[in-house]
């Protein structure tokens, strides 16, 4: 769904910052490197650590009719973060539906980053997180930030990097294929950057070794040794000496003759 009315401009945050906030949230709930994340338990924990500090968390389940075309919404009411969702969505969450898990992690991201008095963040049925605002400036899009947060909250990067495909990621962490694809492509790009950086460092190492290598100088005279007839004469003051194996000749400098 591409609808600017389901999105709004918020404080600028990079994808990396959104992921850091997701990790901080996991630490708050003492999830650690546990997966699949029990998002239902998190929503019923009654507390949330927002960017403005810890606040009460209220999780409400209402009839599908009450929310209409919205799967869920997040708002700040009297100092409490209130996340409201449809009965059908909550039921799907309990069954471990992958898309629903992303939806509710998305709402949790709104609660952590965007909940303000008088504002409501909706998650429309069928929404993808792509909106007019996110296309123009993703770093200021509430929907884009929440999408990045949700992926980082549910997917453990270290484990995901060990998996062979985006489908493996989707199944391992019970997330949507689109979320797994985003994670897989990001990790793949990171691996390519690291490999490129390693190649540059190796080439630099070789170059530095080349330019810093002591240059061997040939101090032998062009004249041949009178004794062994090899080009092995070295200047010894006013004399010359042969450093050829088994020779040992010492005599006058050839140029003096």
């Amino acid at each position: 769904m591409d609808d600017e009315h389901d999105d709004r401009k918020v404080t600028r945050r990079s994808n990396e910052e959104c992921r850091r906030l997701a990790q901080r949230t996991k630490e708050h709930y003492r999830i650690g490197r546990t997966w699949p994340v029990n998002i239902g338990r998190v929503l019923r924990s009654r507390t949330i650590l927002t960017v403005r500090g810890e606040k009460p968390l209220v999780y409400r389940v209402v009839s599908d009719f009450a929310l209409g075309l919205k799967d869920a919404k997040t708002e700040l009411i009297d100092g409490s973060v209130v996340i409201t969702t449809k009965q059908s969505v909550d039921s799907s969450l309990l069954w471990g539906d992958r898309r629903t898990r992303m939806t509710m992690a998305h709402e949790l991201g709104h609660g952590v980053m965007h909940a303000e008095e008088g504002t409501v963040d909706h998650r429309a049925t069928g929404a993808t997180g792509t909106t007019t605002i996110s296309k123009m400036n993703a770093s200021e899009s509430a929907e884009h930030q929440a999408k990045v947060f949700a992926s980082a909250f549910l997917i453990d990067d270290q484990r995901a990097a060990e998996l062979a495909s985006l489908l493996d990621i989707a199944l391992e962490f019970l997330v949507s294929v689109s979320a797994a694809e985003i994670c897989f492509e990001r990790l793949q790009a990171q691996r390519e950057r690291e490999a490129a950086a390693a190649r540059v460092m190796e080439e630099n190492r070789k170059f530095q070794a080349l330019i810093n290598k002591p240059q061997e100088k040939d101090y032998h005279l062009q004249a041949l040794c009178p004794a062994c007839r090899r080009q092995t004469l070295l200047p010894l003051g006013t004399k010359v000496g042969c450093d050829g194996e088994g020779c040992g000749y010492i005599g006058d400098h050839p140029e003096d003759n």
Side-chain angles (χ1 to χ4, degrees), residues 2-256:
D2 184 359
D3 185 355
E4 63 269 28
H5 299 299
D6 288 322
D7 198 2
R8 61 188 176 94
K9 292 186 67 173
V10 292
T11 300
R12 180 189 299 270
R13 291 187 180 90
S14 66
N15 289 349
E16 182 58 32
E17 184 177 357
C18 294
R19 286 192 286 269
R20 282 198 301 267
L21 287 170
Q23 293 305 313
R24 188 189 73 157
T25 303
K26 292 178 73 170
E27 293 170 4
H28 174 71
Y29 292 118
R30 299 180 180 179
I31 294 173
R33 297 192 62 228
T34 302
W35 62 85
V37 172
N38 190 333
I39 185 65
R41 181 180 298 173
V42 168
L43 293 170
R44 291 173 169 83
S45 67
R46 300 184 179 181
T47 180
I48 185 171
L49 182 60
T50 76
V51 293
R52 297 176 179 81
E54 188 171 342
K55 296 183 183 298
L57 174 62
V58 179
Y59 180 58
R60 292 176 178 172
V61 179
V62 299
S63 69
D64 286 14
F65 177 78
L67 283 181
L69 296 178
K70 311 297 181 182
D71 277 346
K73 66 177 180 178
T74 300
E75 53 197 327
L76 188 65
I77 302 176
D78 296 331
S80 295
V81 175
V82 180
I83 297 178
T84 306
T85 190
K86 291 178 176 179
Q87 179 66 58
S88 61
V89 172
D90 183 65
S91 297
S92 296
L93 181 65
L94 295 177
W95 282 103
D97 178 73
R98 292 181 297 170
R99 183 187 177 281
T100 303
R101 284 168 49 77
M102 286 297 299
T103 292
M104 300 318 297
H106 183 105
E107 290 305 311
L108 184 69
H110 281 314
V112 169
M113 298 182 289
H114 309 138
E116 303 171 6
E117 295 283 0
T119 63
V120 181
D121 289 296
H122 292 286
R123 181 64 168 174
T125 302
T128 64
T130 301
T131 69
T132 301
I133 296 175
S134 70
K135 288 179 179 179
M136 294 178 62
N137 193 346
S139 64
E140 294 182 352
S141 160
E143 286 301 293
H144 176 81
Q145 290 183 12
K147 179 172 67 174
V148 173
F149 177 100
S151 177
F153 188 76
L154 296 180
I155 299 175
D156 181 86
D157 272 6
Q158 184 175 333
R159 173 58 181 152
E162 299 170 350
L163 301 175
S165 69
L166 62 91
L167 182 58
D168 289 337
I169 294 175
L171 295 175
E172 182 85 357
F173 299 101
L174 289 182
V175 297
S176 64
V177 172
S178 61
E181 183 177 16
I182 293 171
C183 176
F184 185 78
E185 290 178 351
R186 175 172 58 80
L187 292 177
Q188 184 66 27
Q190 180 178 320
R191 284 190 288 265
E192 291 174 358
R193 287 195 299 271
E194 291 173 351
R199 288 194 297 271
V200 170
M201 291 181 65
E202 176 62 16
E203 290 301 318
N204 182 64
R205 184 193 66 78
K206 292 178 179 178
F207 177 72
Q208 292 297 329
L210 179 63
I211 64 175
N212 293 325
K213 181 180 179 181
Q215 299 297 311
E216 296 181 358
K217 295 183 179 180
D218 188 359
Y219 292 102
H220 291 111
L221 301 176
Q222 291 187 353
L224 299 180
C225 171
C228 66
R229 307 307 296 172
R230 289 175 292 181
Q231 192 177 342
T232 48
L233 291 178
L234 294 173
L236 299 175
T238 59
K239 300 287 186 179
V240 295
C242 178
D243 70 347
E245 184 177 356
C247 183
Y249 169 83
I250 295 179
D252 294 330
H253 198 292
E255 296 179 358
D256 293 338

